[in-house]
C-alpha cells in the first residue's frame, strides 16, 4: 500500500534481498543515506543496485521493519519529512513503536484467519463424522456407547494448534 503517489509504485522486496535481511537482523529503523559512501546500503551485505534504485524511486529516507517474533511481515518506507528536517531520535522511536504495533496487528490478523480456517474445516468434517458414527453404530451396536463417547470427546476438543494451519 502506498500513500502520496498518483499511481502506487510496483515494489517487490524479496525475503532474500539485502534490505530484508538487514531489517530482519537489526529489527530497528534504518536511515537511508544515498550521499554517504559508508552507508549500510553500499555495504557488501546491504542493498544491491536494483534495491538502491527502488529506494531512490521511493525517495526513501527511513525504513521501518514490520517485524514480530522471527518474521518480517513488511516494511514501512518513509520519504523525507515535509519540513525537510531530519528524523530525530524521538521521531524514530515513535515510528518504531507504531511499526511494532502494526506488525503485531498483522500477526494477530493472520492467526485469526488461521483459526477461522480451522473452524471451517471442522464444520465440514462434522457431517462426515456423523455418518461414520452412524455406520459404526449399525455395524457394532454393543460398542456404540464407547464410540459415541469418543466422538463427543473429539467434538468438544478442537485442534490444539489451529494457528499452524497454512493458508
Amino acid at each position: 500500500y502506498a500513500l502520496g503517489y498518483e499511481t502506487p509504485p510496483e515494489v517487490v522486496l524479496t525475503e532474500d534481498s539485502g534490505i530484508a535481511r538487514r531489517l530482519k537482523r537489526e529489527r530497528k529503523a534504518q536511515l537511508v543515506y544515498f550521499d554517504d559512501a559508508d552507508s549500510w546500503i553500499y555495504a557488501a551485505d546491504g542493498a544491491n543496485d536494483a534495491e538502491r534504485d527502488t529506494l531512490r524511486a521511493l525517495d526513501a529516507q527511513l525504513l521501518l521493519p514490520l517485524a514480530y517474533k522471527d518474521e518480517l511481515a513488511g516494511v514501512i518506507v518513509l520519504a523525507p519529512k515535509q519540513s525537510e528536517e531530519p528524523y530525530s531520535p524521538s521521531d524514530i522511536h515513535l515510528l518504531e513503536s507504531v511499526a511494532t504495533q502494526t506488525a503485531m496487528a498483522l500477526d494477530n490478523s493472520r492467526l485469526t484467519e488461521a483459526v477461522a480456517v480451522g473452524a471451517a474445516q471442522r464444520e465440514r468434517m462434522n457431517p462426515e463424522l456423523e455418518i461414520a458414527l452412524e455406520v459404526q453404530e449399525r455395524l457394532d451396536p454393543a460398542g456404540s456407547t464407547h464410540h459415541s463417547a469418543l466422538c463427543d470427546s473429539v467434538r468438544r476438543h478442537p485442534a490444539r494448534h489451529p494457528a499452524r494451519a497454512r493458508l
Side-chain angles (χ1 to χ4, degrees), residues 13 15 20 23-24 27 64-76 99 102-107 110:
L13 182 65
E15 285 185 51
L23 291 170
K24 190 173 182 179
R27 304 184 65 80
L64 296 156
L66 296 177
Y68 186 67
K69 298 182 182 171
D70 291 334
E71 299 291 321
L72 180 64
V75 180
I76 297 174
T102 302
M104 288 189 330
L106 288 171
D107 191 57
R110 183 187 59 80

Side-chain angles (χ1 to χ4, degrees), residues 3 24 49-50 93 98 101 122 140 146 166:
L3 294 175
K24 190 173 182 179
D49 289 339
H93 181 72
V98 169
Q101 294 297 316
R122 285 189 301 281
D140 184 15
H146 171 71
R166 288 289 170 212

Side-chain angles (χ1 to χ4, degrees), residues 2-149:
L3 294 175
Y5 297 93
E6 285 185 31
T7 326
E10 293 291 324
V11 177
V12 176
L13 182 65
T14 62
E15 285 185 51
D16 63 337
S17 70
I19 295 170
R21 285 192 312 267
R22 180 172 180 95
L23 291 170
K24 190 173 182 179
R25 181 181 65 242
E26 298 293 326
R27 304 184 65 80
K28 63 180 183 174
Q30 299 296 303
L31 289 163
V32 178
Y33 297 112
F34 293 109
D35 55 353
D36 180 2
D38 293 328
S39 174
W40 68 268
I41 63 170
Y42 297 110
D45 65 344
N48 63 32
D49 289 339
E51 293 169 333
R52 283 190 294 275
D53 289 345
T54 298
L55 293 176
R56 277 191 192 91
L58 293 171
D59 196 18
Q61 190 173 54
L62 183 65
L63 305 179
L64 296 156
L66 296 177
Y68 186 67
K69 298 182 182 171
D70 291 334
E71 299 291 321
L72 180 64
V75 180
I76 297 174
V77 179
L78 297 177
K81 292 168 49 174
Q82 286 184 348
S83 68
E84 298 183 12
E85 292 290 321
Y87 287 97
S88 70
S90 62
D91 291 336
I92 293 171
H93 181 72
L94 174 65
L95 290 166
E96 285 177 329
S97 294
V98 169
T100 299
Q101 294 297 316
T102 302
M104 288 189 330
L106 288 171
D107 191 57
N108 285 341
S109 174
R110 183 187 59 80
L111 291 173
T112 300
E113 187 171 355
V115 168
V117 166
Q121 287 173 340
R122 285 189 301 281
E123 280 298 313
R124 284 192 301 272
M125 289 175 50
N126 275 345
E128 294 172 13
L129 185 58
E130 292 297 328
I131 291 169
L133 179 60
E134 185 177 318
V135 168
Q136 184 65 36
E137 287 174 346
R138 286 183 185 166
L139 293 174
D140 184 15
S144 63
T145 305
H146 171 71
H147 294 296
S148 293

